[in-house]
Amino acid sequence: MKVLYTSTLCVSSQKSPTCGQILPILKKLEAHLAVKDGDTVFVSNLKKQVWANLSKRYQNDEIRNFLQVATALDPRFKHKLDDDNTIWDQIQRKLIEQSTEEDCGADGDTMQSENEANEENENEQESQQPPCKLPRKTPLEELFAEEEAQNVVSQQSSMSIKKQVERELQIYQEVPLVLMSEDPAAWWWNQQKTYPLLSDLAFSYLCVQASSTPSERVFSTVGDTICPERSRILPEKADMIIFLNKNCF
């Protein structure tokens, strides 16, 4: 039963209990609760009943799929997936869609700002001062202007979003697993320059807690902070005290 106790501590810990560890823990429990030849009748029945209860959890297809993606994005468990090819393909599609939406949004904002600027220019009076002149190019820039323009175009076209996504996924899959003591969120924070697209997706998944225990501890802290002896404490001060208690101690 010690494995069950340790698993409970893992998902209900105070720091970094991310949802990416749920499926690996369930897989570990399934192997531990498998009936063996040397088990007594009591132990065999106990294992069957415990696993029968655990195997019913996280069976919803949508939740299961979410946890599989979160496991793949956890650098401690990324190679502990059963059907990993399907999950990596799904992550690749999500990254491409996410990047495409961001580009479309940026283009839309640019077009909107350009339209607003055009409207403002049309409404301006003729007496307005002429626009500022563009900065003058240096002799070296003017001499190699054509080559530099071609170089910029080739760089933009050479690395498409799909290729960038494939490159980040390949590098991430080849990197060895990190230690269990590592914080996955902190690891992704330090690797943002290496994985600019993949890190954003990882943060959106790994911010989900493995259980409701940490949030329930916040309610207990609130009960200890706002008590009959401190019933006149201001909401702003109570919020500051609770925030400091959960983040600095």
Side-chain angles (χ1 to χ4, degrees):
M1 301 297 289
K2 184 179 180 181
V3 177
L4 291 174
Y5 173 72
T6 307
S7 302
T8 304
L9 293 179
C10 291
V11 298
S12 61
S13 62
Q14 184 66 26
K15 295 183 178 180
S16 302
T18 61
C19 61
Q21 64 189 14
I22 292 178
L23 294 184
I25 289 176
L26 280 177
K27 192 173 182 180
K28 188 84 172 178
L29 291 175
E30 182 181 7
H32 178 73
L33 296 173
V35 178
K36 301 178 182 178
D37 296 335
D39 293 339
T40 62
V41 177
F42 173 76
V43 174
S44 300
N45 292 333
L46 182 62
K47 286 183 175 181
K48 291 179 181 178
Q49 292 181 12
V50 172
W51 179 245
N53 183 282
L54 291 175
S55 61
K56 298 178 183 178
R57 303 171 187 271
Y58 309 108
Q59 293 304 312
N60 181 277
D61 293 338
E62 186 176 354
I63 295 177
R64 189 85 180 181
N65 182 263
F66 183 91
L67 293 178
Q68 287 176 341
V69 175
T71 304
L73 294 175
D74 194 320
R76 302 169 299 179
F77 306 111
K78 59 183 177 180
H79 296 320
K80 297 183 180 297
L81 293 170
D82 296 331
D83 192 8
D84 55 350
N85 292 329
T86 305
I87 299 302
W88 291 119
D89 292 340
Q90 182 180 348
I91 293 175
Q92 181 177 345
R93 290 194 300 270
K94 286 181 178 293
L95 286 172
I96 294 175
E97 292 174 0
Q98 174 181 295
S99 302
T100 305
E101 290 176 358
E102 290 178 355
D103 291 343
C104 292
D107 293 340
D109 294 340
T110 304
M111 292 179 62
Q112 183 179 359
S113 60
E114 289 179 354
N115 292 333
E116 292 177 354
N118 291 333
E119 292 178 358
E120 291 179 358
N121 291 332
E122 292 177 357
N123 295 330
E124 286 178 354
Q125 301 295 330
E126 296 181 355
S127 60
Q128 186 180 8
Q129 296 181 356
C132 298
K133 295 182 179 180
L134 295 175
R136 188 174 182 179
K137 293 183 179 180
T138 62
L140 191 63
E141 290 176 333
E142 186 175 353
L143 184 62
F144 292 96
E146 185 177 352
E147 290 84 350
E148 191 172 24
Q150 293 178 355
N151 186 26
V152 172
V153 173
S154 62
Q155 287 181 356
Q156 292 176 350
S157 60
S158 62
M159 184 63 74
S160 62
I161 294 177
K162 185 177 180 180
K163 289 183 179 179
Q164 187 175 354
V165 168
E166 292 176 352
R167 175 179 171 275
E168 289 189 17
L169 286 176
Q170 182 180 1
I171 296 175
Y172 174 64
Q173 293 178 33
E174 293 176 353
V175 172
L177 297 175
V178 302
L179 299 176
M180 294 298 168
S181 58
E182 290 282 344
D183 185 348
W187 187 88
W188 279 110
W189 180 265
N190 295 327
Q191 300 293 329
Q192 285 186 95
K193 293 184 178 179
T194 307
Y195 312 100
L197 300 177
L198 196 56
S199 59
D200 290 340
L201 185 65
F203 287 137
S204 63
Y205 277 84
L206 297 182
C207 66
V208 180
Q209 296 178 340
S211 68
S212 61
T213 306
S215 59
E216 292 172 358
R217 291 196 183 104
V218 177
F219 289 101
S220 300
T221 304
V222 173
D224 296 335
T225 304
I226 306 174
C227 55
E229 290 78 10
R230 307 176 71 181
S231 59
R232 299 186 63 182
I233 186 173
L234 295 176
E236 294 80 7
K237 175 159 281 189
D239 184 46
M240 293 171 61
I241 293 175
I242 296 168
F243 177 84
L244 292 174
N245 182 277
K246 304 308 294 185
N247 291 277
C248 299
F249 295 100

